[in-house]
C-alpha cells in the first residue's frame, strides 16, 4: 500500500499538504526517485544515499528480528 502513497504515480508537489509530507518522507520515495533519475537522466541528489540507507536499516532490522526469534525458539 505504501508505494501508492509515494511519488511513483503522481509528483509529490501536486498532492495535498498532509499527503505531500508523508509521501516525501516515506521509504519508497527515494527508491522511486533514484530509478526515475537513472532512467530519465535527471539529477539524483541524495536519493541513492537514502535508498541504500533504507536497505541497510531494513536488512539490520530483519537480521535482528530473525536472530531474536531464532534464539527464543532454540532455547526450548
Amino acid at each position: 500500500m505504501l508505494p501508492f502513497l509515494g511519488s511513483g504515480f503522481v509528483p509529490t508537489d501536486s498532492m495535498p499538504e498532509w499527503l505531500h509530507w508523508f509521501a516525501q518522507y516515506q521509504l519508497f520515495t527515494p527508491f522511486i526517485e533514484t530509478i526515475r533519475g537513472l532512467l530519465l537522466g535527471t539529477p539524483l541528489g541524495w536519493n541513492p544515499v537514502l535508498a541504500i540507507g533504507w536497505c541497510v536499516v531494513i536488512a539490520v532490522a530483519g537480521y535482528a528480528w530473525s536472530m531474536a526469534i531464532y534464539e527464543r525458539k532454540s532455547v526450548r
Side-chain angles (χ1 to χ4, degrees):
M1 186 68 179
L2 282 177
F4 294 113
L5 300 175
S7 64
F9 299 105
V10 183
T12 57
D13 296 335
S14 65
M15 296 179 180
E17 187 62 35
W18 64 273
L19 187 56
H20 170 76
W21 181 87
F22 179 79
Q24 193 66 30
Y25 296 107
Q26 62 121 341
L27 65 108
F28 285 103
T29 298
F31 292 105
I32 294 167
E33 293 299 324
T34 300
I35 292 170
R36 182 178 287 142
L38 291 172
L39 291 174
L40 298 176
T42 57
L44 298 176
W46 283 97
N47 288 320
V49 175
L50 292 172
I52 292 170
W54 274 114
C55 285
V56 169
V57 167
I58 292 169
V60 168
Y63 176 77
W65 187 17
S66 65
M67 289 306 292
I69 292 172
Y70 176 76
E71 292 295 327
R72 185 175 55 203
K73 294 202 180 218
S74 67
V75 172
R76 292 181 185 176

